[in-house]
Amino acid sequence: MAINIFRVTAAVIEKDGKILIAKRRIGDRHGGRWEFPGGKIDAGETPEECLKRELKEELGIEAEIGELICSSTFKYMFVPLELLVYKVRHISGKFRALDHDELKWVEPSELAKYNFVKADVKVVKKLMRDIYHV
């Protein structure tokens, strides 16, 4: 029997040398923890289409989805998930926390100081080690 793997996306958005992170709403699953913005891929949607849609819904921005930075597999409550992380360029729109309690621009060297959701911890380590060399 094949196991369904749920696929989700996340964006690494840079501005003035800083990276955007988002704090999950209190009351939501993993509320109060930090993540890179993104979301679940809908049926018939490519990861890039998903991320573009999610950034519009969550942040109110138009974005260009760039290269795949990394992928991470993990389990939440026995459900296997694959996280696909992309480099993203902001095209237009003002950043707003439409689906989060807070948005924050942080230095790459500061990422490890934040309490990220489990899936994004691997991403933080990869970013710091392989991309930003901090």
Side-chain angles (χ1 to χ4, degrees):
M1 181 167 109
I3 296 174
N4 282 340
I5 295 180
F6 291 90
R7 299 173 78 210
V8 295
T9 60
V12 174
I13 305 170
E14 289 182 53
K15 179 179 157 187
D16 301 325
K18 295 185 177 182
I19 299 170
L20 182 71
I21 60 175
K23 191 176 199 180
R24 288 191 176 206
R25 283 192 177 145
I26 298 297
D28 287 354
R29 178 176 287 168
H30 308 293
R33 295 182 81 180
W34 293 89
E35 67 181 354
F36 297 102
K40 296 178 193 115
I41 300 173
D42 290 340
E45 199 174 42
T46 68
E48 295 85 356
E49 290 167 340
C50 165
L51 193 52
K52 190 171 186 141
R53 173 184 54 75
E54 288 284 352
L55 295 174
K56 180 73 171 171
E57 292 172 4
E58 292 184 4
L59 305 176
I61 66 164
E62 294 294 332
E64 178 183 298
I65 311 306
E67 68 184 270
L68 178 69
I69 294 173
C70 65
S71 66
S72 169
T73 55
F74 56 98
K75 285 186 180 180
Y76 274 137
M77 306 293 287
F78 306 105
V79 177
L81 296 165
E82 179 184 26
L83 174 64
L84 303 167
V85 183
Y86 291 85
K87 189 169 187 92
V88 171
R89 187 174 71 86
H90 173 237
I91 294 175
S92 65
K94 183 180 175 184
F95 287 88
R96 295 172 295 168
L98 301 173
D99 199 41
H100 294 88
D101 277 345
E102 183 180 351
L103 301 177
K104 193 170 203 173
W105 293 95
V106 300
E107 298 285 341
S109 61
E110 298 174 332
L111 286 171
K113 296 177 185 176
Y114 292 86
N115 184 17
F116 278 88
V117 295
K118 181 180 174 184
D120 287 354
V121 169
K122 290 181 182 179
V123 177
V124 166
K125 289 178 182 175
K126 174 148 182 80
L127 289 173
M128 293 179 74
R129 181 186 67 234
D130 298 342
I131 297 178
Y132 298 103
H133 309 288
V134 292

